[in-house]
Amino acid sequence: MIRKIINQILYWRLKHIGNRTFLIIASALVGIISALAAVILKTAVHLLHGIPHYYQLYSNNNFWLFFFPILGVIVTIIIIKIFFQGKIEKGLGSIIYSVSHKSSRVEKTKTYSQLITSGFTVGLGGSAGLEAPIAITGAAIGSNISTFFNLGHRERTILLACGAASGIAAVFNSPIAGVLFALEVILTDFTVPSFIPLLISTATATIVSKLLYKGQLFYLISNDWYFHAIPFYIVLGIICGFLSVYMKRVTLSMESFFNSPKRHAFKRITGLVLLGLLIFLLPPLFGEGYSTIESLLKGSYSDLLNNSIFGALKNNPWGILSVTLMIILVKVIATSLTTDTGGNGGIFAPSLFTGALTGFGLSFFVNTIGISNLYVSNFVVVGMAGVMSGVVHAPLTAIFLIAEITGGYVLFIPLMIVSALAYFITRIFEPYSVYTKKLAQKGELLSEDKDSNVLKHLKVEDLIENDFITLNVNDKLQNLIDAFSISNRNVFPVINDEGEFFGIISLDNVKDLLFRTSLYNKLKLSVITQKIITIDYNENMDSVMAKFEKTKLWNLPVLKGKEYMGFLSRSNILTYYRQTLKRTGSGFL
């Protein structure tokens, strides 16, 4: 009955509302639901934060700093084990992969799994961020709404991007940054009309978020900047660039280390203990760290040492600087330990946190030694943009996000200098963002080259041709003659007795033997079989096309391990290429 009603609604929609018009309506709907998801997560995390803070009021020690982050990760592991079959994809890389390889289809479970798991992880003190889980949730909402209403691939992709953008917009109350985030991180190809659904979605999400959640991340009345500060902004940009490289390499190295099956349980337990110790020693690592940034913007620099064993150094500027440097270097380690030991969260907030402390550390150092008199709050917010720009490879998002959430539009020039420098330096050493590096290493990342992007939609398994007659290495020339008489092909794959690929016989290479009847029952095919470059069953299409270019052949055999599977032809690839190009043509409207 319910399904019948739904079908009637869908039929009415298809009959009376075109896809273009409905896409605008759907983008607003995606914005509303994504904002509600963001508000629910922010509220839940705020409530969960109350548990360790309540414990702190009635405790004479700081053991809670060690215990609660570990508890949050353990609870997350249990939830994933019981409700999600022990697996959950973390990071925006999975969404980027869905856009490029899964026709922008995202699993329904991601509409809620990220909220639940990241909520417990970060809410109880895990040193990670909520932005990536919220963006993933929004992307899943957009993808599944488009599927529900039977929209096509183009509309599904833009609604997926609307969901991710709306999630970011709702978290920070920054619609423009949400749009730019979608364009820089999620989408690789877009047209000007694509802005319309994104703008509507993020604007709607921001309105809903402001109505339901009154909290504001940061309050800052920006001081004007002066020309004498430009050299220090340049230095900050360079530092942020190298720090971004450090953060990305540490993140990916630790992920590989913990994902290795060798002594996995021991590494997880050790990682949890180390996480607790780091947060116990350096309390600003607790949670997202936004409260620490607020303290810096208010000028309460000694708050960095609250609840810390370094509390005696509160009035010592060099003590504050030393602790700041330790936090900057250790934050990414704490974040990796949080996520790699079983928790869920992102590196978006840690990059803002690290950037804020970097900007503070530089300006506070300069002021302390008396080189110049810098506005510390300006450097705090500009540093946030710098590290985020380098880690996420989204300089425009970083500039407008910081300007929107801090009201620091007067700092546009410093924001541009620092973000651009950090991005440029990071790209020299790390061409890919923290979200896309693993995809690029696997050859699964869409590029700015539209031809290459279309090729990535093609799969070897979908293009294999099996109408080639297979011969055995022990067969005689007569068997080749018999096969030739009934085949439409002039190439014949040869296998051994175990079914393993041995080589090919091309009639063009053996046509002189076809009329030597005396060899028909004497000459073994193994003698005339030709070795040839092969294609792996799971090989990406860029590599496949490179092999065709190298060999100048029109047909190459496909192997799964050593087993012969069929042939791939250049002409068949070109046919599928044209079909895919037509189906996934540029533009979304």
Side-chain angles (χ1 to χ4, degrees), residues 225-238:
W225 64 278
Y226 298 101
F227 285 101
H228 77 267
I230 289 180
F232 298 104
Y233 284 120
I234 292 173
V235 172
L236 178 60
I238 294 171

Side-chain angles (χ1 to χ4, degrees), residues 37 125 170 209 223 258 264-265 285 334 343 366 413-414 507 517 531 553 582:
S209 179
N223 297 297
F258 279 97
H264 183 68
L285 299 177
V366 170
I413 300 301
L507 290 184
T517 56
K531 299 298 182 181
L553 296 175
K582 184 178 180 180

Side-chain angles (χ1 to χ4, degrees), residues 399-415:
I399 292 169
F400 281 90
L401 175 66
I402 301 307
E404 284 186 290
I405 65 178
T406 65
Y409 286 96
V410 70
L411 298 177
F412 247 80
I413 300 301
L415 284 169

Side-chain angles (χ1 to χ4, degrees), residues 392-453:
V392 183
H393 281 202
L396 291 176
T397 302
I399 292 169
F400 281 90
L401 175 66
I402 301 307
E404 284 186 290
I405 65 178
T406 65
Y409 286 96
V410 70
L411 298 177
F412 247 80
I413 300 301
L415 284 169
M416 292 167 65
I417 292 171
V418 174
S419 297
L421 277 173
Y423 177 69
F424 174 74
I425 290 172
T426 308
R427 283 294 298 263
I428 293 174
F429 297 96
E430 292 288 341
Y432 303 103
S433 76
V434 71
Y435 299 132
T436 59
K437 184 171 181 178
K438 289 182 67 177
L439 294 176
Q441 289 173 337
K442 297 177 182 177
E444 298 171 343
L445 177 65
L446 291 184
S447 68
E448 296 178 358
D449 182 352
K450 294 181 181 180
D451 289 337
S452 178
N453 290 345

Side-chain angles (χ1 to χ4, degrees), residues 2-19:
I2 296 177
R3 185 70 245 180
K4 185 177 180 180
I5 294 174
I6 292 174
N7 287 337
Q8 289 176 343
I9 293 173
L10 294 177
Y11 176 75
W12 182 91
R13 196 283 293 175
L14 289 170
K15 186 176 180 180
H16 295 90
I17 306 176
N19 277 356

Side-chain angles (χ1 to χ4, degrees), residues 85-97:
Q85 291 76 50
K87 289 185 177 181
I88 188 170
E89 290 183 298
K90 305 171 188 176
L92 278 167
S94 63
I95 297 300
I96 297 170
Y97 180 83

Side-chain angles (χ1 to χ4, degrees), residues 449-467:
D449 182 352
K450 294 181 181 180
D451 289 337
S452 178
N453 290 345
V454 172
L455 283 177
K456 284 180 169 57
H457 282 86
L458 307 181
K459 300 292 184 183
V460 169
E461 59 185 284
D462 298 328
L463 303 173
I464 294 177
E465 300 176 46
N466 295 304
D467 59 337

